[in-house]
């Protein structure tokens, strides 16, 4: 596993790469959830339904699109401070967020490989070898283990215990040894 500390040089390189990439290519379009949406109820991903509509810019009646820098202005501000060598003035939670991001990016290829393996197998196999609920569980566990859990503070997360089988990640990779945490995730 990679070290979770970020030295000034790594912080500068990380911020330069993210800022360059985000300015060059990332934009977000905004959608409005419609009234026919069960997202607030307790439905699995495969049974979720939502109607959506595009949010339009009132000035010229086209889709509302914003740049990465506008949507994530606080994070961009932190990265700019790192890039300029002013990381010493960052708040502790900002430093922690950068450390988590840096650790994830150092191990990104491992997690991509694991996610790709699970997602490709589920796409390729379809419904031939397992039920929809077990495929959904496999995907949920892989996303929690290799993406969302890696980016959460302290790598703390809980997978809904309503799954019939509380198994480990099915990627089968040597680097994937942790046991997912199952429990109630309702409010």
């Amino acid at each position: 596993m990679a070290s979770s500390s970020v030295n000034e040089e790594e912080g500068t390189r990380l911020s330069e790469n993210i800022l360059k990439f985000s300015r060059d290519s990332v934009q977000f379009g905004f959608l409005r959830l419609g009234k026919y949406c069960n997202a607030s109820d307790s439905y699995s991903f495969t049974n979720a339904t939502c109607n959506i509509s595009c949010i339009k810019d009132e000035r010229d009646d086209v889709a509302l699109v914003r740049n990465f820098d506008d949507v994530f202005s606080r994070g961009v501000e932190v990265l700019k401070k790192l890039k300029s060598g002013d990381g010493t003035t960052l708040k502790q939670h900002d430093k922690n967020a950068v450390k988590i991001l840096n650790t994830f990016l150092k191990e990104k290829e491992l997690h991509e490989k694991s996610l790709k393996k699970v997602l490709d197998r589920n796409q390729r196999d379809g419904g031939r070898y397992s039920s929809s609920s077990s495929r959904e569980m496999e995907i949920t566990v892989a996303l929690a283990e290799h993406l969302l859990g890696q980016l959460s503070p302290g790598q703390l997360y809980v997978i809904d215990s309503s799954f019939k089988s509380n198994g480990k990640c099915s990627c089968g990779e040597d680097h994937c040894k942790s046991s997912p945490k199952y429990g109630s995730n309702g409010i």
Side-chain angles (χ1 to χ4, degrees):
M1 292 284 170
S3 167
S4 64
S5 64
V6 180
N7 64 38
E8 190 173 322
E9 182 182 326
E10 284 179 317
T12 301
R13 192 171 45 251
L14 173 71
S15 62
E16 285 174 352
N17 288 339
I18 290 174
L19 290 171
K20 180 185 182 319
F21 172 77
S22 65
R23 286 201 174 92
D24 293 345
S25 61
V26 179
Q27 291 189 323
F28 295 89
F30 293 88
L31 302 173
R32 178 177 290 116
L33 291 177
K35 60 183 178 179
Y36 304 109
C37 181
N38 65 5
S40 63
D41 298 329
S42 193
Y43 285 94
S44 64
F45 289 130
T46 54
N47 293 324
T49 59
C50 279
N51 66 318
I52 56 173
S53 61
C54 181
I55 297 176
K56 295 188 175 188
D57 191 324
E58 295 173 1
R59 294 171 290 173
D60 48 13
D61 202 37
V62 296
L64 180 63
V65 177
R66 294 292 179 255
N67 291 326
F68 180 93
D69 290 18
D70 297 331
V71 176
F72 297 105
S73 59
R74 177 73 184 110
V76 169
E77 179 184 321
V78 167
L79 292 172
K80 284 179 180 177
K81 281 185 178 184
L82 277 174
K83 184 178 177 183
S84 71
D86 193 21
T88 57
T89 63
L90 293 176
K91 295 179 181 173
Q92 188 58 46
H93 64 270
D94 291 332
K95 291 177 183 178
N96 292 341
V98 171
K99 286 178 185 178
I100 289 168
L101 180 60
N102 190 52
T103 299
F104 176 76
L105 292 174
K106 286 179 181 178
E107 301 170 347
K108 182 174 76 86
E109 287 78 20
L110 295 174
H111 297 300
E112 284 177 343
K113 181 178 179 183
S114 294
L115 283 169
K116 183 169 177 29
K117 192 172 184 180
V118 171
L119 295 172
D120 285 353
R121 180 177 53 243
N122 276 281
Q123 186 172 10
R124 183 181 59 248
D125 295 346
R128 291 182 290 181
Y129 301 111
S130 58
S131 69
S132 173
S133 63
S134 65
R135 283 194 316 275
E136 183 174 343
M137 186 204 69
E138 274 188 284
I139 293 170
T140 299
V141 170
L143 286 170
E145 288 292 308
H146 297 291
L147 181 62
L148 303 173
Q150 296 297 318
L151 294 171
S152 68
Q155 284 72 45
L156 299 174
Y157 62 92
V158 176
I159 298 172
D160 192 348
S161 60
S162 68
F163 284 116
K164 294 184 179 18
S165 169
N166 294 347
K168 292 187 174 205
C169 180
S170 65
C171 73
E173 295 294 328
D174 290 338
H175 66 269
C176 186
K177 299 190 186 308
S178 63
S179 295
K181 297 140 193 86
Y182 292 89
S184 173
N185 58 13
I187 295 175

